[in-house]
Amino acid sequence: MNITCPKCGFGRAVNEEKLPPKAVMATCPKCRHRFKFREIAPLEHIEPKTDSPPAAPAIDPEIQDMPKQASGLVEAEQETTSHVESSAPPHDEDLWNELSALKEDDEEGGSYTEHRPEPSLPLWERVESGYPRAFVQTFLEVLANPKIFFSAMPVGYGLVKPLLFFLIIVQAVALSQSIWQLLGIIPPSALTENLDNTLQAALSLILYPLEVCVFLFLDTAMNHFFLRLFKADTKGFEGTFRAGTYSAAPMLLMIVPYIGLPLAMIGVVVYKFLGLRHVHGATNKQVLAVLILPMLLAIAVAIVLALLTGGI
């Protein structure tokens, strides 16, 4: 049976045959929260089995010491019951040992079954009206509690609405960049630096979202390739795409000139890690490898190209 702590989400499959039959409470070995992990039907009272000799025949009423013998029988029964109860191990202690052993296995590198909420589409994808409010609420849910948000992320509903969520953020960033360029606060991009300010701003609203969308699909394909390579792909390409689009929420920080860009880059990496981790149920090591290896590969390719170009 699976036992999951309702407070921290730690859980593992426990061999039910090894648990005491009357055990219903558990103490989580990670957060030490005490909780009830199952319901059991009340059992009929069963008299304890003892090795005592059979009961003596009825005592003649004429025997004068009958009260003493009756008292002796009661004391013997109490001692037998006490012996049986003391020989049985405490229920919670047995369950604690079982879960503690599981915790040690997990610390040695084993995986554990994490408590996952029921699959639920983000509000942005469920509503048929009131899209601005749904967008804001979904945006705040991603930022406030990414673990629950991505753990409940279902697949099979397409890529359109996650892509629209991503495009709204990108377009807001592009609009802010155009305004800063018109005001001369930030320099124009390399593609539009020879144009006048108005044309620069107009092209930024078109070119920047296209550039970012192309990068999104290439990045998703690369991440998904490594997820499959490390056997961490459980939700398919759509799951990886959804993790990438919704984890782009911190990109909105880029509306702040200069300091917004580094903050947004850090935020996107962190939320992307959480997105891939909880959408696919992958381990931390798997997700780190998925994120780091493409960067190392890109650096290696850039170095090789630089050497070849310098040699020519």
Side-chain angles (χ1 to χ4, degrees), residues 66-82:
M66 181 180 65
K68 294 183 180 180
Q69 293 182 7
S71 175
L73 290 174
V74 172
E75 291 177 359
E77 182 178 355
Q78 290 177 349
E79 290 179 1
T80 302
T81 305
S82 174

Short mmCIF file of all heavy atoms in Angstrom, two decimals, residues 66-82:
data_model
loop_
_atom_site.label_atom_id
_atom_site.label_comp_id
_atom_site.label_asym_id
_atom_site.label_seq_id
_atom_site.Cartn_x
_atom_site.Cartn_y
_atom_site.Cartn_z
N MET A 66 -12.30 -19.99 49.36
CA MET A 66 -12.77 -19.70 47.99
C MET A 66 -12.45 -18.27 47.58
O MET A 66 -12.03 -18.01 46.45
CB MET A 66 -14.28 -19.96 47.90
CG MET A 66 -14.87 -19.70 46.50
SD MET A 66 -16.63 -20.01 46.44
CE MET A 66 -17.21 -18.73 47.55
N PRO A 67 -12.63 -17.25 48.40
CA PRO A 67 -12.27 -15.88 47.96
C PRO A 67 -10.81 -15.76 47.55
O PRO A 67 -10.48 -15.06 46.60
CB PRO A 67 -12.59 -15.03 49.19
CG PRO A 67 -13.60 -15.82 49.94
CD PRO A 67 -13.22 -17.25 49.75
N LYS A 68 -9.91 -16.43 48.27
CA LYS A 68 -8.50 -16.32 47.92
C LYS A 68 -8.22 -16.95 46.56
O LYS A 68 -7.46 -16.44 45.76
CB LYS A 68 -7.65 -17.01 48.99
CG LYS A 68 -7.70 -16.31 50.34
CD LYS A 68 -6.78 -17.00 51.32
CE LYS A 68 -6.80 -16.32 52.68
NZ LYS A 68 -5.91 -16.99 53.64
N GLN A 69 -8.86 -18.13 46.29
CA GLN A 69 -8.63 -18.78 45.00
C GLN A 69 -9.18 -17.93 43.87
O GLN A 69 -8.56 -17.82 42.80
CB GLN A 69 -9.29 -20.17 45.01
CG GLN A 69 -8.63 -21.15 45.97
CD GLN A 69 -9.28 -22.52 45.90
OE1 GLN A 69 -10.14 -22.76 45.05
NE2 GLN A 69 -8.89 -23.41 46.80
N ALA A 70 -10.35 -17.36 44.06
CA ALA A 70 -10.91 -16.50 43.01
C ALA A 70 -10.01 -15.31 42.75
O ALA A 70 -9.76 -14.92 41.60
CB ALA A 70 -12.31 -16.03 43.43
N SER A 71 -9.48 -14.74 43.84
CA SER A 71 -8.56 -13.62 43.67
C SER A 71 -7.31 -14.05 42.91
O SER A 71 -6.77 -13.32 42.07
CB SER A 71 -8.19 -13.06 45.04
OG SER A 71 -7.23 -12.05 44.93
N GLY A 72 -6.82 -15.26 43.19
CA GLY A 72 -5.64 -15.76 42.49
C GLY A 72 -5.89 -15.94 41.01
O GLY A 72 -5.04 -15.66 40.17
N LEU A 73 -7.09 -16.42 40.63
CA LEU A 73 -7.43 -16.58 39.21
C LEU A 73 -7.46 -15.24 38.50
O LEU A 73 -6.98 -15.10 37.37
CB LEU A 73 -8.77 -17.29 39.07
CG LEU A 73 -8.81 -18.77 39.47
CD1 LEU A 73 -10.23 -19.29 39.40
CD2 LEU A 73 -7.91 -19.58 38.54
N VAL A 74 -8.01 -14.23 39.15
CA VAL A 74 -8.07 -12.90 38.54
C VAL A 74 -6.67 -12.35 38.32
O VAL A 74 -6.36 -11.79 37.27
CB VAL A 74 -8.91 -11.95 39.42
CG1 VAL A 74 -8.80 -10.52 38.89
CG2 VAL A 74 -10.36 -12.40 39.45
N GLU A 75 -5.78 -12.52 39.32
CA GLU A 75 -4.42 -12.02 39.18
C GLU A 75 -3.68 -12.75 38.07
O GLU A 75 -2.93 -12.15 37.30
CB GLU A 75 -3.67 -12.19 40.50
CG GLU A 75 -4.20 -11.27 41.60
CD GLU A 75 -3.48 -11.53 42.92
OE1 GLU A 75 -2.61 -12.43 42.93
OE2 GLU A 75 -3.80 -10.86 43.90
N ALA A 76 -3.91 -14.07 37.94
CA ALA A 76 -3.25 -14.83 36.87
C ALA A 76 -3.71 -14.35 35.51
O ALA A 76 -2.93 -14.23 34.56
CB ALA A 76 -3.56 -16.33 37.04
N GLU A 77 -5.02 -14.07 35.38
CA GLU A 77 -5.54 -13.59 34.09
C GLU A 77 -4.95 -12.23 33.75
O GLU A 77 -4.60 -11.96 32.60
CB GLU A 77 -7.06 -13.52 34.18
CG GLU A 77 -7.70 -13.08 32.85
CD GLU A 77 -9.20 -13.04 32.94
OE1 GLU A 77 -9.73 -13.46 33.99
OE2 GLU A 77 -9.84 -12.60 31.97
N GLN A 78 -4.81 -11.36 34.75
CA GLN A 78 -4.23 -10.05 34.51
C GLN A 78 -2.78 -10.17 34.08
O GLN A 78 -2.31 -9.46 33.19
CB GLN A 78 -4.34 -9.19 35.78
CG GLN A 78 -5.77 -8.77 36.09
CD GLN A 78 -5.85 -7.99 37.38
OE1 GLN A 78 -4.88 -7.93 38.14
NE2 GLN A 78 -7.02 -7.41 37.65
N GLU A 79 -2.03 -11.07 34.70
CA GLU A 79 -0.63 -11.24 34.32
C GLU A 79 -0.51 -11.77 32.90
O GLU A 79 0.36 -11.36 32.13
CB GLU A 79 0.05 -12.21 35.30
CG GLU A 79 0.24 -11.64 36.69
CD GLU A 79 0.90 -12.65 37.60
OE1 GLU A 79 1.20 -13.76 37.11
OE2 GLU A 79 1.11 -12.33 38.78
N THR A 80 -1.40 -12.71 32.52
CA THR A 80 -1.36 -13.26 31.17
C THR A 80 -1.65 -12.19 30.14
O THR A 80 -0.97 -12.06 29.12
CB THR A 80 -2.39 -14.40 31.04
OG1 THR A 80 -2.09 -15.39 32.01
CG2 THR A 80 -2.34 -15.01 29.65
N THR A 81 -2.69 -11.39 30.40
CA THR A 81 -3.04 -10.31 29.47
C THR A 81 -1.90 -9.31 29.35
O THR A 81 -1.57 -8.84 28.27
CB THR A 81 -4.32 -9.61 29.94
OG1 THR A 81 -5.35 -10.56 30.09
CG2 THR A 81 -4.75 -8.55 28.92
N SER A 82 -1.32 -8.96 30.50
CA SER A 82 -0.21 -8.01 30.49
C SER A 82 0.97 -8.55 29.71
O SER A 82 1.63 -7.83 28.97
CB SER A 82 0.21 -7.68 31.92
OG SER A 82 1.36 -6.86 31.94
#
